[in-house]
Amino acid sequence: MRKIMGYIRRAVEEYGMLSSGDVVAVGVSGGKDSVALLAGLAGVRRFLGVDFRLEAITLDNCFDGVQTDYTPIQQLCDRLEVPYTVRRTDIGQIIFQERGESNPCSLCARMRRGVLHDLAKSLGCNKIALGHHYDDAVDTFIMNLFNEGRIGCFQPVSYLSRRDLTMIRPLIFAPERELRNAVNRAELPVVKSRCPVDGCTERQWTKEFLAGLEHTHPGVTQRIFGAMRRAHISNW
């Protein structure tokens, strides 16, 4: 995890993501990115020189009315000495059973954001850390360009004035392959998503599209990322 913590430190310092006294809600889906973020943030507390506190949060969509077992994540949080909260929701029931959404990801994301923001505020958090990484940034840029005809991406740091919450993305310099390797080497627990459309989304198509471009044009992902930074797209 040492290299991942280095990426986190770079992002925190370059974009001023953390300040002493912050209480940071870490969104933990159970996937590799979010557990790497949790372990990485817990690790950098030792040497970052910033006095902040973590609260790990998992939102369970309860797909098909079944609760997911997050015991491995609870055990990880216990080892890291990070308080952990699981909030069970009926988001899965609403999206797939009640509404029968053919394109569920957008609505799911909006509903989850609302619950996450409310829960973070109730726990006294002023910031929320999400596990979006280097490759996610390029994926999002391409999706916005292809699907909406606009130049843009999520921001490394964004302030939500209506909720008085700041969103931070400390993994933005961490490539996905390095996150995967770090999680495997550290033997961090991963809880597989039970979403019915997992692996069949527009983002997955974009990942595969970029993988194909990398095969014929090696380094294209790095060049897109660099162009986003040089052009200061979405405050990069």
Side-chain angles (χ1 to χ4, degrees):
M1 287 299 297
R2 187 172 301 174
K3 195 169 185 180
I4 302 305
M5 287 190 285
Y7 286 126
I8 291 174
R9 181 172 190 168
R10 177 186 172 191
V12 167
E13 293 179 347
E14 187 160 332
Y15 290 103
M17 291 184 176
L18 293 172
S19 301
S20 292
D22 282 342
V23 183
V24 184
V26 184
V28 184
S29 66
K32 68 181 188 314
D33 305 331
S34 63
V35 297
L37 173 64
L38 175 63
L41 282 173
V44 298
R45 289 181 299 184
R46 300 193 303 269
F47 58 80
L48 196 58
V50 179
D51 182 19
F52 64 96
R53 185 163 60 84
L54 298 175
E55 291 275 352
I57 294 176
T58 293
L59 305 182
D60 184 4
N61 283 359
C62 297
F63 295 109
D64 296 320
V66 178
Q67 295 184 359
T68 299
D69 181 10
Y70 290 104
T71 300
I73 307 301
Q74 177 67 71
Q75 294 170 343
L76 173 64
C77 289
D78 291 343
R79 293 203 305 272
L80 298 174
E81 299 181 341
V82 175
Y84 182 49
T85 302
V86 178
R87 174 61 55 86
R88 310 292 181 181
T89 77
D90 55 1
I91 292 175
Q93 175 75 21
I94 292 172
I95 291 176
F96 290 102
Q97 276 71 52
E98 296 181 12
R99 297 177 61 107
E101 291 284 328
S102 58
N103 185 22
C105 296
S106 178
L107 177 59
C108 180
R110 290 199 303 272
M111 295 180 71
R112 287 174 64 84
R113 276 197 300 269
V115 177
L116 178 61
H117 295 172
D118 288 343
L119 184 52
K121 292 294 288 186
S122 73
L123 292 171
C125 301
N126 65 310
K127 291 183 177 176
I128 299 178
L130 301 177
H132 298 124
H133 49 66
Y134 175 100
D135 297 88
D136 285 333
V138 178
D139 294 344
T140 301
F141 176 82
I142 294 296
M143 290 169 66
N144 288 338
L145 181 64
F146 283 13
N147 298 336
E148 301 178 25
R150 67 181 179 90
I151 304 295
C153 184
F154 53 72
Q155 298 181 6
V157 178
S158 53
Y159 177 63
L160 309 177
S161 57
R162 294 179 60 182
R163 305 308 304 272
D164 191 26
L165 283 168
T166 299
M167 310 289 289
I168 62 173
R169 293 173 167 89
L171 292 180
I172 53 171
F173 293 126
E176 184 174 20
R177 67 181 180 279
E178 294 189 24
L179 290 166
R180 184 182 298 110
N181 291 339
V183 167
N184 289 338
R185 286 195 301 268
E187 298 182 341
L188 297 179
V190 172
V191 177
K192 182 173 174 53
S193 171
R194 298 183 60 256
C195 176
V197 298
D198 184 41
C200 305
T201 62
E202 185 70 21
R203 184 171 294 277
Q204 182 62 33
W205 180 92
T206 306
K207 286 181 180 294
E208 293 171 3
F209 170 77
L210 284 168
L213 280 183
E214 278 289 341
H215 182 71
T216 57
H217 298 76
V220 66
T221 300
Q222 183 179 14
R223 290 191 292 274
I224 293 173
F225 188 88
M228 291 167 55
R229 295 254 292 160
R230 288 188 296 273
H232 304 294
I233 299 297
S234 301
N235 293 326
W236 278 78

